[in-house]
C-alpha cells in the first residue's frame, strides 16, 4: 500500500530540472498582452486629478483602464466588498492599484505604468496601533471579547500577578513564485483563467462578478504554485480579475505577474500583533487567570482579518488549561497593505502570547519553563471522560431569505451565521471557547522529546557554560503547539473529487485542493493508489480545475489532505465497489470478498491484474468515473459568542531549540533543534517531515530576522530581499532532529493522519524563547524580548536583563 | 536605462580625453553604476570603460606599501593579500558575492565613496594615498562625506597605495539581508601608531575614530578603549539599525579588530 511511504514529491524531478510549469511559463498565444498596475504613491488621500496621456502614448500600450472603465463589479475583496480592484476617488495605502496598463509586453506595461500622473490630496494616514485605537478605526463595531470563568475575581485572588506586553511583527510570504495570472477569452464571452492561487473557486467567483457573467462562464485552472503560505488565498484576485477584464475588453489573452518589489508593496502580509497580558498565578507555576488584549493592524481592507483575529483568540490557550481567561481582540483598520492569511492564520500570534506568559511566569518563579508548561497542560487524552461533543443539528433552523452580498466560499464570508450551531459547552478540560479537549497527547510527546534531546542535562550544562563565559550566552527552550484543525467557517469544511479509471487501468485523479509545493497531490495520489491496490505511478495527478470539481474551499487551514484525501477516497471507493460488484456477480461470490492489492484483484479463486479487472468491468458496462464528496463531521461554532466546537481535532507538536547570542552585538545562531511532531499516522513521512522542517524555519524567521518596516509616510521600506531577510539554508539549525510521533489520529481522518501544514510553524516559537533564555542569562531581570528578535532587539533585551 | 555610447580606451590618457566629452562618466566594474543606470538614476551620454587599461591593474609591493591599481578587482586583491595583509584580505574577500568581487574594483569603490562601502575604511586606517591622473591625495583629504570625494570632474583614480600595517583586521557587522556593513571597522597597527577607519555608520561617510587611535597607540589591547564611547550624534539611523546601535557596534567591532589583530 502506498499510503505511509515516504515517496518524493510527485513533481520533484520537474522542479529541479526546471520543467515544472508555473503560470507564467504557460505558452500564451502570440497576440497575448501583459498588464501592470499604476500604484498610489501616498498612503491616504483623495485623487484630485489623473493624467494618463503619457501612459496611453507609451510604446506598446494597447489600453489603459481606470475604475470608470470597469464593466461590472470593481471589487476583489474576499469578504466585505471593500476592496476595489482600482481606486475610486480615495486611496487607502501606498501601493494601492489606481489604474492598469495593457501593453504588448510585460516590460512595456511596467514602463508605461510609471508615466501616470496621479494627483492625490493627502490625508494624515493611520499607521500605528495607537493612532488606530485613538481614531477608533477598526473592523466590526467594537472588540470581540470571549471569556471563561470570572477573570477579574481570579486575578484578584491569585497569590502572584504580573503584567506585560509583547509586540510581534508581520511577515512577508516570500513565495518563490510571485503572483501571476493568465486569462484566455473564449467564444461567447466565456473566460478561462490560469492563476497562481490557493483558491480557484474564489478566483472564478470574483472574475464572474467582474465580467457580469455567471460562474459557469468562467473556468479556473491551477496546476501548481511556487509557494503560497496563505499569500495566495485572496491576494491573487486582483491579477486574475484585471487579466479577465482586460481580456474581455481587448478580445486578446492577457497575462500579469508582479515584479518582486511590486508584490511586496501591493499584497498583504501576516498580521502584526501587540498582546497585553495580565496574569494571576501561584507559587507552583499554575496559571490561575489571564486577561489578554490582542491588537492587530489589519490594513486598509477587511480581507480575511476577522477569521485571522478569531484564530488568534482561539489559540490564546495553546496547550494550557486556563480556568479563568478573557480575550479581547481589536481588529484595527490602518492605511497599510491589507494583512491577509499566512501559515497559521493568526494562530501563531495567539500562541506566542501565551507562551510569553509561561516564559515570564517561569522566570518570575525561578522555575524551569518546561516544567511550568507541563504544569499547565490540558489533561491527557486517557484522563478525560468521553462523552458526546456538541453536534450541529441536522439542518439549519432558518435559511437566509435573501442572499447578502458576500463571498460564501471565502473564509472572509459573513454572508450568514450558521444558526445550526447547537453550541453546547463542555464542562471539563475545556478551551476558553468551551470545547472539550479530548485528544491531548502532549504529556507523552513532551516526556519523549525532553528525554530524546536530553533537555535537563543540557540545560544544566548550558547554565554551567554560561557561568564560565562572559561574552557569549547560550539559551535553551521548549515549546509545544496544539493547533485546531478545521476552517472556523464551518461550511468550508467540505471537498469534492473526480476520479476516472481508464480501460488500461490507469487512473485520472482530480480534486479541489491546490498544489503549492507542499506535496498534497502526492499524498492524495497515495490514497487513490491504496484504495485501488495499485502503485502510485498509475495515478495521474491533474491540475485543479473548477470545471472538474466545483465549489471548492481554499487549500488552507492545513486542511488540504484531510478534506481532499477523504473526497478522493470516496470517489475511488465508489468505482472500486462497482468493479467489485461486477466481478462478484461474474464469479458468484460476495463483493466484500473481492480484494484489491499489489496491482492484482482477487475474486473467488481467481487472481487477475487490476487492468484485467477494469477491462472486465468496462465490458460489462460499468461506469468507471465517479465523484467523491466529504464534509467534516461534528463541528458547531458561534464566533460571536466564542463558544462551540470549531475544530475536528488538534494537531500537536513540541520543539526544543538551543541558541547562542553574542552579548556585545546581539548576533545569534540556532545551534540545535529537536522536534517531535504529531502528524497522526502519516500519509507520507518524507513530505510531512519536510513540512515540519520548513514550518519551523519559517516560524523562526518570523520571530528573528524578518522585519517589516514602514516609514512615517506609510511607505514599506523593506520591499526587496536586499532589505528583508528571510532565513537561508545556512540559517537552519546546525543540528536539526525531526521525528514524527506517528500515532493514529483518534478522529476519523483519512488513514488516521493529521494535518501538517501550519502546526509546525509555531514550533519556531521555541527559537524566540531560547533567545529570551540566553538574554535572561545576562542578568536578574526579565529580558522582555520582543519580536522579531533582530540582533539590535536581542542586545536591548540583554541590557534590560542586566537591569 | 537611457541610451548611451560606450568607449573602451586602453590608456589613462585616452580615458581622460574621452571623459572630457559632455556628460561623460567613467565606468569601472559597474557594480554600483550599472544598477544606477538601470534605475534611470543617471543619464550619461557616454560611458568611458576603464577595464581595458592595463596600467591601472595589478598590485605592486613597495617598501612597507602596497600599490593597488584602480582597475584591480576585489577578487584579485583578496588573492594577492592572502597571508600577507590580513585586514585587507578579509575586507576584499567579503565584499558582496563572487560575482561582485569578480567585477568590482578598488578604484570604483573609493571614487564612489558609498557610506557603506568597505574600502574607504581600509584607506583611512592604512594612511592610503589615492593616485589620480593628475595628483596624489591623502585618504584623510580624499573622502569628504557621503558619496563625495576630492575628485574633480573627469579625474580618474588610477591607483591606491596603502601603508602595510604591522597588524590589521577588518571587522564587518553585516546587515543580514544585503550583507553591506551596518558597521565596518578597519583596525591597523603601524609602527608610528594605530589607525581606526569606520564605515557604514556615519551620515558623513567614512571617518577615523581618533580617541580610539590615541588609546590604542599607547596600548594595543581591547581594554585600552574600554572607557571610550562613540557618540550616536551624526550616526545613521535607518530601518536596519538605530544610531545608538551603530555607536555601540563601532566600539565592539573595534575591540574585536584589536583582539583579532593582536
Amino acid at each position: 500500500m502506498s499510503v505511509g511511504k515516504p515517496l518524493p514529491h510527485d513533481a520533484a524531478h520537474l522542479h529541479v530540472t526546471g520543467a515544472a510549469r508555473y503560470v507564467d511559463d504557460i505558452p500564451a498565444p502570440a497576440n497575448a498582452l501583459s498588464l501592470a498596475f499604476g500604484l498610489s504613491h501616498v498612503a491616504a488621500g483623495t485623487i484630485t486629478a489623473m493624467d494618463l496621456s503619457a501612459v496611453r502614448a507609451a510604446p506598446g500600450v494597447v489600453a489603459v483602464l481606470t475604475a470608470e472603465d470597469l464593466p461590472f463589479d470593481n471589487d476583489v475583496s474576499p469578504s466585505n466588498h471593500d476592496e476595489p480592484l482600482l481606486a475610486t476617488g480615495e486611496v487607502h495605502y501606498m501601493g494601492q492599484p489606481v489604474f492598469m496598463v495593457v501593453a504588448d509586453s510585460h516590460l512595456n506595461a511596467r514602463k508605461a505604468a510609471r508615466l501616470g500622473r496621479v494627483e492625490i490630496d493627502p490625508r494624515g494616514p493611520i499607521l500605528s496601533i495607537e493612532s488606530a485605537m485613538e481614531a477608533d478605526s477598526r473592523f466590526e463595531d467594537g472588540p470581540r471579547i470571549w471569556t471563561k470563568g470570572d477573570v477579574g475575581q481570579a486575578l484578584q485572588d491569585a497569590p502572584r500577578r504580573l503584567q506585560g506586553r509583547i509586540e510581534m511583527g508581520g511577515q512577508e510570504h516570500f513565495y518563490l513564485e510571485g503572483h501571476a495570472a493568465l486569462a484566455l477569452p473564449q467564444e461567447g464571452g466565456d473566460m478561462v483563467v490560469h492563476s497562481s492561487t490557493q483558491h480557484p473557486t474564489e478566483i472564478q467567483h470574483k472574475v464572474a462578478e467582474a465580467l457580469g457573467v455567471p460562474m459557469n462562464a468562467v473556468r479556473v485552472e491551477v496546476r501548481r504554485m511556487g509557494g503560497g503560505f496563505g499569500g495566495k488565498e485572496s491576494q491573487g484576485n486582483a491579477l486574475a480579475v484585471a487579466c479577465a477584464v482586460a481580456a474581455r475588453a481587448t478580445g486578446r489573452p492577457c497575462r500579469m505577474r508582479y515584479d518582486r518589489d511590486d508584490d511586496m508593496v501591493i499584497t498583504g502580509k501576516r498580521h502584526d500583533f501587540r498582546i497585553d497580558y495580565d496574569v494571576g498565578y501561584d507559587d507552583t507555576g499554575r496559571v490561575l487567570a489571564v486577561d489578554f488584549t490582542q491588537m492587530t493592524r489589519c490594513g486598509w481592507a477587511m480581507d480575511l482579518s476577522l477569521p485571522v483575529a478569531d484564530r488568534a483568540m482561539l489559540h490564546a490557550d495553546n496547550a494550557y488549561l486556563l480556568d479563568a481567561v478573557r480575550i479581547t481582540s481589536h481588529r484595527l483598520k490602518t492605511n497599510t497593505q491589507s494583512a491577509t492569511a499566512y501559515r497559521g492564520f493568526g494562530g501563531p500570534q495567539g500562541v506566542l502570547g501565551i507562551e510569553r506568559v509561561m516564559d515570564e511566569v517561569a522566570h518570575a518563579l525561578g522555575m524551569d519553563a518546561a516544567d511550568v508548561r507541563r504544569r499547565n497542560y490540558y489533561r491527557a487524552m486517557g484522563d478525560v471522560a468521553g462523552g458526546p461533543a456538541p453536534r450541529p443539528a441536522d439542518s439549519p433552523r432558518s435559511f437566509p431569505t435573501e442572499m447578502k452580498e458576500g463571498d460564501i466560499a471565502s473564509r472572509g464570508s459573513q454572508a450568514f451565521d450558521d444558526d445550526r450551531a447547537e453550541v453546547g459547552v463542555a464542562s471539563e478540560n475545556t478551551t476558553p471557547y468551551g470545547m472539550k479537549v479530548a485528544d491531548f497527547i502532549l504529556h507523552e510527546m513532551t516526556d519523549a522529546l525532553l528525554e530524546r534531546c536530553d533537555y535537563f542535562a543540557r540545560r544544566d550544562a548550558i547554565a554551567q557554560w554560561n557561568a564560565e563565559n562572559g561574552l557569549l550566552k547560550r539559551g535553551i527552550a521548549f515549546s509545544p503547539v496544539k493547533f485546531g484543525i478545521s476552517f472556523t467557517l464551518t461550511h468550508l469544511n467540505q471537498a469534492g473529487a473526480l476520479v476516472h479509471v481508464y480501460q488500461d487501468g490507469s487512473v485520472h485523479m482530480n480534486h479541489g485542493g491546490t498544489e503549492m509545493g507542499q506535496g498534497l497531490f502526492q499524498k492524495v495520489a497515495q490514497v487513490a493508489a491504496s484504495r485501488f491496490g495499485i502503485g502510485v505511478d498509475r495515478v495521474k495527478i491533474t491540475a485543479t480545475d473548477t470545471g472538474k470539481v466545483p465549489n471548492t474551499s481554499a487549500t488552507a487551514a492545513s486542511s488540504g489532505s484531510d478534506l481532499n484525501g477523504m473526497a478522493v477516497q470516496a470517489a475511488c471507493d465508489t468505482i472500486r465497489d462497482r468493479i467489485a460488484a461486477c466481478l462478484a456477480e461474474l464469479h458468484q461470490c460476495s463483493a466484500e470478498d473481492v480484494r484489491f492489492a499489489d496491482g492484482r484483484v482477487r475474486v473467488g479463486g481467481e487472481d487477475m491484474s487490476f487492468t484485467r479487472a477494469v477491462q472486465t468491468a468496462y465490458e460489462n458496462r460499468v461506469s468507471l468515473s465517479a465523484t467523491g464528496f466529504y464534509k467534516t463531521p461534528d463541528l458547531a461554532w458561534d464566533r460571536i459568542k466564542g463558544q462551540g466546537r470549531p475544530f475536528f481535532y488538534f494537531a500537536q507538536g513540541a520543539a526544543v531549540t538551543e541558541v547562542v547570542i553574542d552579548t556585545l552585538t546581539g548576533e545569534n545562531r540556532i545551534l540545535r533543534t529537536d522536534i517531535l511532531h504529531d502528524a497522526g499516522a502519516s500519509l507520507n513521512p518524507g513530505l510531512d517531515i519536510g513540512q515540519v522542517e520548513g514550518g519551523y524555519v519559517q516560524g523562526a524567521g518570523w520571530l528573528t530576522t524578518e522585519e517589516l518596516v514602514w516609514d512615517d509616510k506609510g511607505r514599506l521600506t523593506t520591499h526587496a530581499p536586499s532589505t528583508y531577510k528571510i532565513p537561508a539554508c545556512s540559517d537552519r539549525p546546525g543540528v536539526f532532529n525531526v521525528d514524527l510521533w506517528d500515532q493514529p489520529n483518534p478522529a476519523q481522518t483519512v488513514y488516521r493522519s493529521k494535518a501538517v501544514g501550519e502546526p509546525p510553524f509555531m514550533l519556531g516559537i521555541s527559537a524566540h524563547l531560547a533567545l529570551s533564555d540566553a538574554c535572561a542569562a545576562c542578568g536578574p531581570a526579565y529580558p522582555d524580548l520582543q519580536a522579531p528578535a533582530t540582533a539590535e532587539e536581542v542586545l536591548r533585551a540583554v541590557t534590560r536583563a542586566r537591569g | 536605462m537611457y541610451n548611451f555610447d560606450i568607449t573602451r580606451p586602453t590608456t589613462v590618457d585616452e580615458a581622460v580625453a574621452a571623459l572630457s566629452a559632455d556628460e561623460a562618466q567613467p565606468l569601472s566594474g559597474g557594480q554600483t553604476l550599472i544598477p544606477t543606470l538601470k534605475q534611470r538614476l543617471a543619464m550619461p551620454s557616454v560611458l568611458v570603460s576603464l577595464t581595458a587599461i592595463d596600467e591601472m591593474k595589478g598590485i605592486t609591493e613597495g617598501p612597507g606599501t602596497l600599490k593597488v591599481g584602480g582597475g584591480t578587482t576585489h577578487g584579485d586583491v583578496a588573492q594577492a593579500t592572502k597571508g600577507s595583509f590580513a585586514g585587507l584580505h578579509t575586507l576584499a574577500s567579503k565584499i558582496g558575492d563572487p560575482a561582485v568581487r569578480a567585477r568590482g574594483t578598488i578604484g570604483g569603490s573609493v571614487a564612489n565613496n558609498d557610506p557603506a562601502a568597505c574600502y574607504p575604511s581600509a584607506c583611512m586606517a592604512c594612511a592610503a594615498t589615492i593616485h589620480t591622473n593628475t595628483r596624489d591625495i591623502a585618504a584623510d583629504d580624499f573622502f569628504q562625506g557621503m558619496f563625495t570625494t576630492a575628485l574633480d570632474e573627469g579625474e580618474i583614480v588610477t591607483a591606491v597605495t596603502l601603508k602595510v600595517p604591522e597588524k590589521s583586521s577588518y571587522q564587518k557587522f553585516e546587515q543580514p539581508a544585503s550583507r553591506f556593513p551596518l558597521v565596518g571597522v578597519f583596525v591597523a597597527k603601524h609602527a608610528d601608531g594605530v589607525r581606526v577607519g569606520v564605515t557604514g555608520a556615519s551620515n558623513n561617510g567614512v571617518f577615523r575614530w581618533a580617541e580610539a587611535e590615541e588609546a590604542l597607540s599607547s596600548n594595543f589591547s581591547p581594554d585600552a578603549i574600554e572607557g571610550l564611547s562613540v557618540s550616536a550624534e551624526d550616526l545613521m539611523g535607518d530601518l536596519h539599525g538605530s544610531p545608538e546601535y551603530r555607536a555601540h557596534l563601532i566600539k565592539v567591532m573595534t575591540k574585536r579588530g584589536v583582539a583579532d589583530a593582536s
Side-chain angles (χ1 to χ4, degrees):
Chain A
M1 192 170 79
S2 64
V3 158
K5 285 189 184 157
L7 300 177
H9 192 285
D10 57 280
H13 191 71
L14 303 178
H15 292 156
V16 297
T17 57
R21 197 176 266 183
Y22 297 84
V23 169
D24 206 47
D25 300 325
I26 296 171
N31 65 340
L33 299 169
S34 291
L35 272 63
F37 286 132
L39 308 178
S40 169
H41 53 273
V42 303
T46 308
I47 299 174
T48 55
M50 221 188 304
D51 176 7
L52 303 178
S53 52
V55 186
R56 293 181 208 279
V61 171
V62 173
V64 180
L65 282 76
T66 64
E68 287 165 9
D69 302 316
L70 301 176
F72 293 95
D73 278 13
N74 174 19
D75 181 68
V76 292
S77 163
S79 56
N80 208 27
H81 270 234
D82 61 349
E83 196 170 333
L85 169 68
L86 299 173
T88 51
E90 300 287 307
V91 292
H92 303 282
Y93 77 103
M94 204 182 289
Q96 182 177 353
V98 177
F99 61 91
M100 67 191 206
V101 186
V102 187
D104 59 355
S105 74
H106 175 71
L107 192 58
N108 277 341
R110 291 195 67 216
K111 283 180 171 174
R114 299 204 174 173
L115 302 175
R117 295 281 165 267
V118 181
E119 283 172 35
I120 299 170
D121 185 16
R123 254 195 326 276
I126 294 175
L127 300 172
S128 66
I129 286 174
E130 287 81 6
S131 54
M133 288 293 281
E134 201 170 298
D136 199 30
S137 173
R138 65 171 70 240
F139 294 102
E140 299 190 299
D141 46 3
R144 286 260 76 75
I145 303 170
W146 300 345
T147 55
K148 174 187 173 188
D150 187 343
V151 182
Q153 193 61 48
L155 281 172
Q156 241 172 43
D157 295 347
R160 289 168 162 267
R161 196 153 165 190
L162 62 81
Q163 287 93 18
R165 161 178 293 182
I166 181 160
E167 309 247 12
M168 56 198 90
Q171 188 176 24
E172 163 62 32
H173 299 85
F174 229 104
Y175 21 63
L176 284 184
E177 177 212 23
H179 277 280
L182 165 64
L184 302 159
Q186 310 292 305
E187 62 182 28
D190 291 357
M191 195 66 68
V192 170
V193 179
H194 296 270
S195 169
S196 182
T197 179
Q198 294 172 239
H199 199 348
T201 292
E202 172 76 7
I203 298 286
Q204 180 192 20
H205 170 71
K206 299 310 291 191
V207 166
E209 275 185 354
L211 298 181
V213 298
M215 285 171 78
N216 67 9
V218 179
R219 189 170 73 75
V220 178
E221 191 177 317
V222 183
R223 174 56 187 89
R224 64 169 59 81
M225 286 159 275
F229 309 116
K232 293 174 180 171
E233 181 166 345
S234 64
Q235 304 289 300
N237 293 359
L239 300 90
V241 168
C243 287
V245 167
R248 178 186 184 272
T250 60
R252 295 165 66 174
C254 286
R255 68 194 324 167
M256 184 173 201
R257 69 170 192 264
Y258 287 157
D259 175 78
R260 178 65 63 181
D261 291 70
D262 289 345
D263 201 315
M264 292 182 78
V265 164
I266 296 170
T267 66
K269 295 143 207 340
R270 179 185 294 282
H271 289 69
D272 50 40
F273 267 70
R274 168 187 296 170
I275 299 182
D276 289 342
Y277 48 89
D278 187 348
V279 187
Y281 60 105
D282 66 19
D283 292 337
T284 71
R286 175 80 186 124
V287 172
L288 305 171
V290 193
D291 189 358
F292 279 121
T293 305
Q294 302 180 339
M295 284 160 275
T296 183
R297 294 193 304 164
C298 300
W300 69 287
M302 186 184 275
D303 190 75
L304 306 174
S305 292
L306 302 190
V308 166
D310 285 356
R311 195 169 269 270
M313 299 172 80
L314 286 163
H315 289 80
D317 60 334
N318 193 20
Y320 311 111
L321 177 60
L322 304 170
D323 292 328
V325 55
R326 174 166 52 216
I327 309 151
T328 305
S329 168
H330 298 274
R331 297 91 193 264
L332 301 169
K333 188 174 182 175
T334 51
N335 294 113
T336 47
Q337 289 78 359
S338 184
T340 191
Y342 194 138
R343 202 173 194 172
F345 206 67
Q349 293 93 320
V351 171
L352 184 58
I354 188 72
E355 289 305 329
R356 170 52 170 262
V357 166
M358 294 296 155
D359 192 54
E360 190 162 353
V361 165
H363 188 272
L365 292 170
M367 287 178 64
D368 177 75
D371 285 340
V372 169
R373 289 186 164 85
R374 290 199 282 196
R375 184 144 303 160
N376 287 286
Y377 272 170
Y378 283 100
R379 285 202 291 285
M381 180 161 69
D383 299 342
V384 179
R391 280 169 192 271
D394 289 337
S395 61
R397 286 198 299 271
S398 65
F399 289 95
T401 48
E402 204 175 318
M403 206 51 181
K404 271 197 252 169
E405 289 278 300
D407 197 340
I408 56 174
S410 159
R411 285 204 266 186
S413 171
Q414 307 162 80
F416 53 89
D417 292 319
D418 182 358
D419 67 358
R420 283 170 294 181
E422 284 292 351
V423 169
V425 179
S427 57
E428 60 157 351
N429 214 36
T430 57
T431 64
Y433 45 91
M435 176 173 167
K436 181 195 285 189
V437 179
D439 57 358
F440 193 78
I441 52 174
L442 275 166
H443 292 278
E444 307 92 288
M445 289 181 69
T446 303
D447 291 347
L449 176 69
L450 295 185
E451 184 178 331
R452 226 174 266 196
C453 76
D454 207 13
Y455 171 80
F456 288 101
R458 280 168 61 206
R459 185 200 58 185
D460 294 344
I462 286 168
Q464 180 71 32
W465 191 89
N466 283 341
E468 292 161 7
N469 286 274
L471 297 185
L472 301 181
K473 296 287 180 190
R474 283 153 70 184
I476 189 168
F478 160 82
S479 76
V481 60
K482 163 186 134 291
F483 193 76
I485 302 299
S486 289
F487 286 105
T488 56
L489 184 59
T490 300
H491 77 254
L492 297 182
N493 295 290
Q494 58 172 307
L498 176 66
V499 174
H500 308 317
V501 178
Y502 294 100
Q503 303 158 37
D504 63 352
S506 65
V507 176
H508 174 110
M509 179 196 78
N510 197 272
H511 55 76
T514 57
E515 176 64 43
M516 57 196 97
Q518 82 277 44
L520 168 68
F521 283 11
Q522 180 72 316
K523 284 166 78 166
V524 177
Q526 287 174 254
V527 170
S530 296
R531 301 318 283 179
F532 289 122
I534 56 177
V536 75
D537 56 322
R538 301 184 76 176
V539 179
K540 173 63 76 182
I541 291 167
T542 58
T544 316
D545 187 330
T546 57
K548 287 183 180 172
V549 175
N551 307 322
T552 59
S553 296
T555 307
S558 305
S559 68
S561 301
D562 279 13
L563 297 178
N564 296 291
M566 282 300 230
V568 163
Q569 175 173 307
C572 293
D573 286 358
T574 300
I575 298 171
R576 192 190 63 186
D577 291 350
R578 285 183 197 148
I579 297 172
C582 168
L583 295 175
E585 195 180 329
L586 291 173
H587 289 81
Q588 293 297 300
C589 69
S590 158
E592 286 87 68
D593 296 334
V594 181
R595 288 276 170 271
F596 293 75
D598 306 323
R600 311 292 298 174
V601 179
R602 276 180 287 279
V603 51
E606 201 181 328
D607 180 309
M608 67 184 88
S609 68
F610 179 70
T611 306
R612 183 65 216 135
V614 167
Q615 282 166 352
T616 304
Y618 169 70
E619 286 157 10
N620 284 277
R621 294 188 287 178
V622 171
S623 167
L624 295 171
S625 174
T627 58
F629 184 77
Y630 174 73
K631 57 177 179 175
T632 313
D634 299 341
L635 301 175
W637 172 239
D638 182 333
R639 67 170 286 272
I640 301 301
K641 285 188 204 143
Q643 287 294 326
R645 182 183 160 87
F647 304 123
F648 187 32
Y649 64 90
F650 293 102
Q652 293 152 70
V656 170
T657 297
E658 181 180 345
V659 300
V660 61
I661 64 168
D662 182 327
T663 59
L664 294 175
T665 60
E667 290 165 285
N668 53 81
R669 297 265 183 286
I670 299 177
L671 299 174
R672 174 176 171 179
T673 299
D674 295 81
I675 289 173
L676 190 52
H677 194 79
D678 161 35
S682 173
L683 289 174
N684 181 325
L687 292 170
D688 283 353
I689 285 177
Q691 285 294 297
V692 176
E693 290 172 344
Y696 171 85
V697 170
Q698 196 170 42
W702 168 49
L703 296 174
T704 54
T705 61
E706 296 189 43
E707 185 176 34
L708 291 165
V709 182
W710 285 264
D711 69 13
D712 58 4
K713 299 267 194 304
R715 182 193 314 273
L716 178 68
T717 55
T718 45
H719 53 74
S722 56
T723 44
Y724 184 78
K725 172 63 179 156
I726 61 168
C729 198
S730 54
D731 295 313
R732 76 195 187 283
V735 179
F736 198 6
N737 302 316
V738 177
D739 291 309
L740 298 179
W741 181 243
D742 219 15
Q743 295 290 321
N745 188 348
Q748 290 188 26
T749 50
V750 61
Y751 286 94
R752 301 284 180 165
S753 63
K754 283 195 181 185
V756 76
E758 292 163 298
F761 182 93
M762 278 145 279
L763 299 176
I765 290 172
S766 63
H768 191 263
L769 295 165
L771 289 170
S772 174
D773 185 51
C775 295
C778 299
Y782 187 66
D784 195 23
L785 183 68
Q786 304 293 309
T790 59
E792 185 170 5
E793 172 56 21
V794 168
L795 186 68
R796 280 193 290 258
V798 166
T799 310
R800 285 191 288 267
R802 285 176 178 149
Chain B
M1 226 181 248
Y2 297 103
N3 287 339
F4 53 82
D5 291 324
I6 187 158
T7 168
R8 258 188 124 215
T10 53
T11 67
V12 171
D13 291 344
E14 283 170 23
V16 171
L19 281 170
S20 64
D22 207 27
E23 297 296 325
Q25 194 163 354
L27 170 71
S28 191
Q31 298 307 297
T32 302
L33 182 54
I34 298 292
T36 309
L37 294 174
K38 281 184 177 172
Q39 298 279 332
R40 296 195 165 189
L41 295 173
M43 198 166 53
S45 62
V46 56
L47 283 183
V48 180
S49 170
L50 307 178
T51 54
I53 304 173
D54 285 342
E55 60 189 289
M56 277 177 57
K57 290 184 187 169
I59 297 163
T60 8
E61 282 182 44
T65 62
L66 198 68
K67 186 173 182 183
V68 184
T72 312
T73 65
H74 313 321
D76 286 342
V77 173
Q79 200 90 50
T81 50
K82 198 173 179 185
S84 60
F85 193 161
L88 199 63
H89 172 72
T90 307
L91 181 150
S93 54
K94 283 192 175 173
I95 296 175
D97 55 22
V100 169
R101 294 194 288 275
R103 294 288 306 170
T105 65
I106 189 170
S109 175
V110 300
N112 189 49
N113 195 16
D114 186 305
C118 295
Y119 268 125
S121 67
C123 294
M124 295 295 255
C126 300
T129 303
I130 317 294
H131 309 284
T132 75
N133 53 304
T134 57
R135 55 187 169 143
D136 293 342
I137 311 167
D140 288 329
D141 303 325
F142 180 84
F143 300 106
Q144 299 186 340
M146 215 181 258
F147 297 110
T148 311
T149 65
L151 289 174
D152 290 329
E153 203 66 29
E155 193 173 1
I156 300 171
V157 175
T158 54
V160 176
T161 297
L162 301 117
K163 229 173 105 184
V164 181
E166 294 168 355
K167 293 171 178 174
S168 65
S169 175
Y170 180 64
Q171 297 291 327
K172 173 161 76 162
F173 188 92
E174 290 177 355
Q175 188 268 96
S178 72
R179 299 188 200 151
F180 270 98
L182 198 64
V183 166
V185 176
F186 201 108
V187 174
K189 182 178 184 302
H190 301 276
D192 57 352
V194 174
R195 291 169 72 107
V196 178
V198 181
T199 189
S202 169
N203 281 324
N204 303 317
V206 68
F207 67 96
R208 284 169 62 194
W209 185 14
E211 295 88 343
E213 289 183 353
E214 195 179 325
L216 290 168
S217 293
S218 54
N219 174 16
F220 193 67
S221 117
D223 299 338
I225 59 168
E226 190 58 57
L228 302 182
S229 64
V230 180
S231 162
E233 208 177 320
D234 257 355
L235 295 191
M236 281 192 278
D238 58 20
L239 62 166
H240 304 301
S242 62
E244 293 73 25
Y245 188 51
R246 282 186 165 88
H248 176 83
L249 288 177
I250 291 171
K251 180 169 162 184
V252 174
M253 292 296 126
T254 304
K255 287 170 83 172
R256 271 192 197 171
V258 174
D260 179 55
S262 311

